[in-house]
Amino acid sequence: MTVDSLHHTVAPADAGPADPALVQLLTPEGQRREHPNFPLLLDDAAIRDLYRDLVLLRRFDTEATALQRQGELGIWAQVLGQEAAQIGSARALRPTDMAFPTYREHGVAWCRGVPPEKILELFRGINFGGWNPLEFRLAPYTIVIGAHTLHAVGYAMALQREPHNDDAVIVYFGDGAASEGDVNEAFVFAASYNAPVVFFLQNNQWAISVPESRQSRIPLYQRAKGFGFPGVRVDGNDVLACLAVTDAALQHVRSGQGPFLIEAFTYRMGAHTTSDDPTRYRLADELEKWKLRDPIERVKAYLSRSGLADAEFFASVDVEAEALADRIRSACVSMPDPDPLAMFDHVYADGSPMLDAERRSYAEYLASFGEA
Amino acid sequence: MATLALARALNLGLRRALESDPRVVIMGEDVGKLGGVFRVTDGLQRDFGEDRVMDTPLAESGIVGTAIGMALRGLRPICEIQFDGFVFPAYDQIVNQLAKLHYRSRGTLTVPLVIRIPFGGGIGAVEHHSESPEALFAHIPGLKVVACGNAADAYTMIQQAVACDDPVIFFEPKRRYWERAEVDTDAPLDQAFPLTAARVVREGRDVTLLAYGPSVKLALDAAAAAAEEGREIEVIDVRSLSPLDFHTISSSVSRTGRCVVVHEAPVFLGFGAELAARITESCFYRLEAPVLRVGGFSIPYPPSRLEEHYLPDVDKILDAVDRTFSY
Ligand SMILES: Cc1ncc(C[n+]2csc(CCOP(=O)(O)OP(=O)(O)O)c2C)c(N)n1
């Protein structure tokens, strides 16, 4: 066996956005396209709202990155570049649907109505996510790659047993996650039980430093076929297409036809997290190429070219974005550190005498410093 | 002699292992071009190629499971698990397969495989990045479980682990990755201090402090502080949790009559519980006080803004030392 033979089997996984299978309703230049299977059912105001979502999300993300740089957050996982995939898909949900995120789904959280400050609490190290998952129908962020895909399937299996309930579940994960056993088991269970779950795979091309080609020899959406359910690749930088495809997928799963895989073809324009240095493993050219496919610019181009929004509208969104940035900055820097004794709370639903004793003894220990 | 950060010492140790044995391969997430998230494998793929230093798909069970197969065919894989909390998808492979193959095959098969795991907290990380799961591995017969506490040990212990014919779970104290120490990179490996031996890192006659990994430095700091008050603490770096060099420990405790164990993992059923039980069993008549333990509470690792309350520190250690004198 030659050394080369170890590697030649890993073929480039796809032709990228040139792929004819890619669903696109808005080109990078801002031209509308129609797709026979995925009609866009939005009025002009709704498209303006999507633009607003995208801009506010990006501003939030930029501010959070700055807050991390200034030491106010321990780490930040940027969503930069993936705004359309998240806003488009999450805006297709109804309030009673359930979403299961990774650690990067700030756009999904935004659409679910979670105040951005609550997300910062996690990255500041105050708690593990300050929102109520049941209120917002957004599960806690999951950092262990792929684990939550099974939870999503199980949640969907539980929904199935509720008569007259056609709520659906959506679960977000990445191209790297697609290699985990849990994700593949989630596919098997979802197919086996015909569970009402949409698998929303954001293929941002990179799992930290590892390119998608290491994870898959075929375009990831095609994996669905092997598991026995439909898979579609959508332009993940096209908010209209992401919304239309997710809408169709949700209808599919609501109507009892079983799971659906969406691969949103996108790009992680930032670092993996603020701890990462992408210059070590990818070329700047690649980023430049993807900047031309920016998810926000194309909506702006479309809105202004087709006369659906004027300069005043764009300016007002920018003003709103700055106000949002100010708000979350001051909220973040003024967050008090949690009470140390709070770390003993909520380990068990009905308490533990052993833990109570530990709490008491640590309280005494802390008090001994006060007296000294 | 060179002054090296612990991560750099590991890097040099791995380089030596790759150089001296063509069967050695490194595999894991982001170990290639990136050099690992802590840069422990920095430059190794560049110098040894993609067949020796392999970026794997993102699947820990896959990493360890395939490494077992590679080892069965004569390779000596070194798997990197990116963070302590992410070893669990591989736990089945480690517990049911890796640990037992030699036994099940009545000694016919050996699985010389090293699993490197950065462990412990103190770096302000998000969830699952600060765990101390060592007891979950030390509890499994068939695995060797070691932890390095300084750069010099890191350099030799990683090479010894690779040379060992048993599977080795190799814990690296991530909060100490950047701490520097003198490392003798020319010392021959076959004359090095044995991988599975505990080491007295500071002598003292009043009380024995047992620590490993990130807690060794704390124990030494505590001993230095106690010395100023005239109390002489002996510090032992346990280094090998399994097999355990109990002789070094019991000889010390028999002399001092007092013992405190320090680790970051929860005290409840933590490694200190085994140490305390064994010491009680074998040194009962020499003990002046019960063996005390300083470690994590019985709670999940807390959010980072609270981790200083959760982690052992010099004050908590000295407090426990004081308590051993109050019996
Ligand atoms: C089980 C597990 N293994 C490893 C990690 C460390 N890790 C965090 S993110 C990441 C890459 C994830 O890539 P992908 O699934 O493509 O999602 P992306 O971060 O690109 O959004 C890795 C390896 C983890 N969090 N969980």
Side-chain angles (χ1 to χ4, degrees), chain A residues 71-83:
Chain A
E72 296 293 340
L73 300 178
I75 194 172
W76 179 246
Q78 291 164 271
V79 66
L80 187 65
Q82 298 174 224
E83 295 92 344

Side-chain angles (χ1 to χ4, degrees), chain A residues 3 6-7 72 75 124-128 143-144 176 179-180 207-210 214-215 280-281 337-338 340 343-344 347 354-355 358 362 365 369, chain B residues 30 33-34 39 42 50-51 55-60 82 86 126-129 268 297-306 309-310 315-316 319:
Chain A
V3 162
L6 284 176
H7 297 295
E72 296 293 340
I75 194 172
R124 193 172 163 90
I126 285 181
N127 55 37
F128 299 130
I143 289 174
V144 181
S179 294
E180 285 282 9
I208 311 186
S209 72
V210 180
R214 174 60 67 205
Q215 320 287 350
R280 291 179 69 97
Y281 54 81
D337 277 353
M343 71 183 165
F344 295 97
V347 180
M354 184 177 87
L355 202 51
E358 285 186 22
Y362 190 59
Y365 175 77
F369 288 90
Chain B
D30 305 288
K33 267 192 190 154
L34 185 64
R39 308 293 183 262
D42 191 21
E50 288 187 32
D51 304 331
D55 270 330
T56 62
L58 205 179
E60 291 75 12
Q82 202 160 80
F86 308 140
V126 289
E127 261 184 303
H128 314 295
H129 291 70
F268 187 69
F297 300 110
S298 306
I299 63 171
Y301 197 89
S304 60
R305 293 254 161 182
L306 291 177
H309 288 282
Y310 177 87
D315 283 333
K316 287 179 184 170
D319 176 66

